[in-house]
Amino acid sequence: MLHIWGIEMKTILETLLIGVSSGSIYSLMALALVLVWRSTRVVNFAQAGQAIISTYIGYESMKHLHSYWYSVLVAIVAGAILGAAVEAFVMRPLAKRVRGSAAADIAPVIATLGILGLIRGVAGLIWGNTFVQYTSPLSGKGYTFGSTTIQFSPQNAAIVIGAALVMAAFAIIFNFTKLGLALRASSFQPEISRLAGIRVDRIRVIGWACAGAAGAVAGALVTPTAYLSPNSLDLLLVSGFVAAVIGGLDSLVGAGIGGVVLGIGFAFILQYIGASVTFLAAFIILIFVLLVKPAGIMGKSGGRSA
Amino acid sequence: MSSAEQAPLLEIKNLTVQFGGLKALSNIALQLRPGEVVGIIGPNGAGKTTLFNAISGFVKPQKGEFTLYGEERAWLAPHQLIGQSLSRTLQGVGLFQDLTVFENVLAAVEEEKRSTLQNAFLGGSDAQDLERAHMALENMYCASLEGVKASSLSYPDSKRVALARALVTNPKILLLDEPAGGLGAQEIAWMKQLIHNIKVKTSILLVEHHMDVVMEVCDRIYVLNFGELIAEGTPEQVRNNPAVIAAYLGSGATA
């Protein structure tokens, strides 16, 4: 076995792969947060709740569809509808109510915390506060090369591929379609967007729907590697948030890179320092990024105008 | 003037806008005829911007009739302007800072086709849209700036790009909000020439603080003070109107 400075090469590669896999999930969550931030300037704490409901719906649908992959599609559709509904029926009326008041900036964020609590409570009532298993046909056992088995499993591979596909899809939509142009345009200057003929309210609903779909992919892909409970995606929200901040909150590419960087960082901390500091590390990284480069690695310097 | 006999493109009657207890505009009447440049002037706080905001749908009037192309109809919402062949520029820069110059113009030209969801998701920009956006920039002498991010444009350049975006849809009516604001003498001369050139195809409603620009480019002028119409007429008539002189002297500015 190859050793460099006494550290086993296999362990490094393994840690790297695991990091990329968990990082892909963080990227998806970060992407969801960035999409909402870009379309409505709201940090959506309810994203974890929306993803949980979508994942439960995927889990339920699997009982009837008998196919994990179809159930992932159901979860994605559910996530998109839920995201659109939260924007259309809660966030938009709320924003109209508080417009111009001192609470205009903070009330929507507090509301997302409220929605998170509400969704968790409802999920607990429907599915109980217990752990259930949402299983994938792919093995959770690591790949074996000759006599060595690594920690990276086919499900991990599916996570990486799935996240990459979602990221690529959003990159294409954002950069090469009319919808993407409208999404990018309306993020900061709704007045100008309206004068350019863009229906900003509709674009915002689409932004939330896209975010909900991305969050659902994250939930449905990561859950087979663990368990499903009303709280099981809470840590993912924290990681996604840190990843989004690393990436600059405004940047889709930043969210992708931020997630993978964070995932790899966590994997190495877990491997070489210990599980007890991983969670702590998330917050240290968060505060460090905010202090040193508040606009994130892909963000622009200077304040926002909106 | 020949345009006096033609039916107005845009006509407003009895427009009243109220913010809480404050009357921002009361009983305003206004007409814009084909080929005209019509100025709206008045001291600060007279209601000029509110009038523009009412026409472009950012402010809901309490009262008033809105007639467009001879047909009385409901007041427009901002996103409907382009579809009704109206464009508006905003005070200051008014561009999407994050997008390139080309994307800024393209965003407006693509509106008509964004109507179906399928088209919006899957449709890219067709060659005709790209060409139109390019031509609009070319007309404003900004084609060389196409790939530049709006945030890094000089102020006069960003004004040109904003005009290109407003004109890319070939509107019948253009609402120009302080086009000369913040510009130097040379750029103001260019702006006057531009207004003169486009009024053949596009009638213009203009809010502007530079009196020399207003007096030179406008065919007719409406004067607002404290939300009320105190005078209207040709630049010559308005310049010699005692009420106008009093309003401007009263506010410390010169007419």
Side-chain angles (χ1 to χ4, degrees):
Chain A
M1 191 55 63
L2 181 60
H3 285 69
I4 296 176
W5 300 309
I7 299 171
E8 204 182 343
M9 207 49 207
K10 171 190 166 246
T11 316
I12 291 182
L13 274 175
E14 217 172 8
T15 312
L16 203 61
L17 282 170
I18 287 299
V20 170
S21 169
S22 52
S24 302
I25 292 293
Y26 305 157
S27 296
L28 284 175
M29 206 60 180
L31 176 74
L33 293 167
V34 166
L35 283 166
V36 164
W37 173 253
R38 285 195 63 124
S39 57
T40 42
R41 315 319 275 173
V42 171
V43 176
N44 182 21
F45 289 107
Q47 196 70 69
Q50 291 167 235
I52 271 293
I53 293 285
S54 316
T55 308
Y56 268 113
I57 290 173
Y59 159 79
E60 286 294 334
S61 74
M62 197 168 142
K63 293 177 182 169
H64 306 284
L65 296 169
H66 307 292
S67 157
Y68 169 72
W69 301 110
Y70 284 136
S71 78
V72 172
L73 288 182
V74 171
I76 292 171
V77 172
I81 293 171
L82 193 57
V86 169
E87 160 61 10
F89 299 121
V90 183
M91 302 310 288
R92 188 196 297 167
L94 177 74
K96 294 210 161 124
R97 288 283 298 161
V98 299
R99 188 185 296 161
S101 78
D105 285 339
I106 194 68
V109 183
I110 305 285
T112 67
L113 277 171
I115 296 166
L116 175 61
L118 184 77
I119 288 179
R120 270 218 214 113
V122 169
L125 281 176
I126 300 175
W127 289 286
N129 286 303
T130 52
F131 294 101
V132 294
Q133 262 191 311
Y134 179 28
T135 49
S136 153
L138 295 179
S139 165
K141 287 203 181 73
Y143 285 107
T144 304
F145 299 99
S147 60
T148 47
T149 300
I150 61 169
Q151 281 183 49
F152 191 79
S153 71
Q155 181 65 22
N156 290 126
I159 287 173
V160 175
I161 293 165
L165 287 176
V166 172
M167 290 277 169
F170 278 111
I172 290 167
I173 289 174
F174 253 65
N175 291 308
F176 300 108
T177 69
K178 295 168 188 182
L179 174 72
L181 186 58
L183 276 166
R184 284 185 292 146
S186 54
S187 60
F188 288 98
Q189 296 120 317
E191 274 199 353
I192 307 176
S193 301
R194 292 195 172 101
L195 287 178
I198 296 166
R199 295 177 173 217
V200 174
D201 283 350
R202 192 189 280 182
I203 291 296
R204 285 181 167 159
V205 168
I206 294 173
W208 276 75
C210 291
V217 177
L221 284 180
V222 77
T223 300
T225 67
Y227 293 94
L228 182 59
S229 81
N231 307 328
S232 63
L233 296 180
D234 285 5
L235 273 178
L236 180 57
L237 178 72
V238 175
S239 308
F241 185 62
V242 176
V245 169
I246 293 174
L249 257 180
D250 259 326
S251 164
L252 300 194
V253 178
I257 296 173
V260 173
V261 165
L262 191 68
I264 293 172
F266 277 4
F268 276 92
I269 289 169
L270 195 63
Q271 176 69 32
Y272 292 104
I273 302 177
S276 51
V277 288
T278 321
F279 199 56
L280 186 65
F283 290 103
I284 293 172
I285 294 168
L286 177 66
I287 291 166
F288 179 78
V289 172
L290 287 174
L291 285 175
V292 176
K293 208 163 183 324
I297 48 172
M298 299 301 287
K300 297 170 298 295
S301 51
R304 285 189 305 274
S305 57
Chain B
M1 196 178 305
S2 64
S3 61
E5 296 99 54
Q6 295 191 48
L9 295 173
L10 173 72
E11 185 170 18
I12 285 164
K13 281 185 208 156
N14 300 321
L15 170 62
T16 297
V17 175
Q18 218 161 333
F19 297 122
L22 181 84
K23 257 195 181 160
L25 290 175
S26 54
N27 288 315
I28 303 296
L30 174 151
Q31 290 188 341
L32 177 69
R33 300 193 193 94
E36 263 192 327
V37 177
V38 168
I40 297 159
I41 63 169
N44 280 329
K48 304 182 295 286
T49 301
T50 305
L51 176 55
F52 260 32
N53 282 342
I55 297 172
S56 47
F58 287 118
V59 162
K60 272 226 152 63
Q62 270 66 33
K63 219 178 76 186
E65 291 111 60
F66 182 74
T67 306
L68 195 62
Y69 313 125
E71 205 173 311
E72 191 179 335
R73 50 166 301 156
W75 294 84
L76 297 171
H79 71 264
Q80 295 173 324
L81 294 186
I82 281 191
Q84 294 298 324
S85 203
L86 254 98
S87 272
R88 177 186 174 176
T89 66
L90 290 166
Q91 278 175 36
V93 174
L95 293 178
F96 302 117
Q97 298 294 312
D98 274 6
L99 304 189
T100 65
V101 164
F102 191 72
E103 286 171 333
N104 260 280
V105 179
L106 197 61
V109 82
E110 290 188 331
E111 157 48 22
E112 299 105 316
K113 293 161 195 156
R114 208 183 284 120
S115 43
T116 69
L117 202 61
Q118 186 203 357
N119 198 336
F121 263 103
L122 305 172
S125 310
D126 63 38
Q128 202 188 343
D129 292 346
L130 300 176
E131 182 61 23
R132 275 172 81 185
H134 177 73
M135 284 308 295
L137 283 162
E138 187 90 44
N139 290 339
M140 294 294 135
Y141 309 103
C142 332
S144 61
L145 300 171
E146 278 178 3
V148 178
K149 259 205 174 180
S151 54
S152 49
L153 288 176
S154 73
Y155 186 75
D157 280 342
S158 54
K159 286 234 160 194
R160 286 169 197 246
V161 174
L163 271 168
R165 189 179 56 207
L167 291 169
V168 69
T169 48
N170 288 322
K172 292 197 182 89
I173 298 169
L174 175 63
L175 308 182
L176 274 180
D177 202 342
E178 300 205 12
L183 296 182
Q186 212 181 338
E187 291 133 5
I188 289 180
W190 179 82
M191 187 66 76
K192 286 186 205 164
Q193 187 58 48
L194 178 76
I195 290 170
H196 189 75
N197 291 347
I198 56 183
K199 77 176 203 178
V200 184
K201 285 200 289 190
T202 303
S203 302
I204 296 170
L205 207 55
L206 177 85
V207 166
E208 184 53 68
H209 277 116
H210 286 259
M211 278 308 147
D212 56 323
V213 176
V214 175
M215 293 299 163
E216 198 180 321
V217 304
C218 291
D219 300 303
R220 287 189 303 119
I221 295 170
Y222 291 88
V223 189
L224 296 179
N225 197 22
F226 296 113
E228 293 186 13
L229 204 57
I230 59 167
E232 67 169 284
T234 64
E236 195 57 36
Q237 288 166 341
V238 162
R239 211 191 322 239
N240 299 320
N241 186 312
V244 177
I245 296 167
Y248 270 88
L249 290 178
S251 76
T254 48

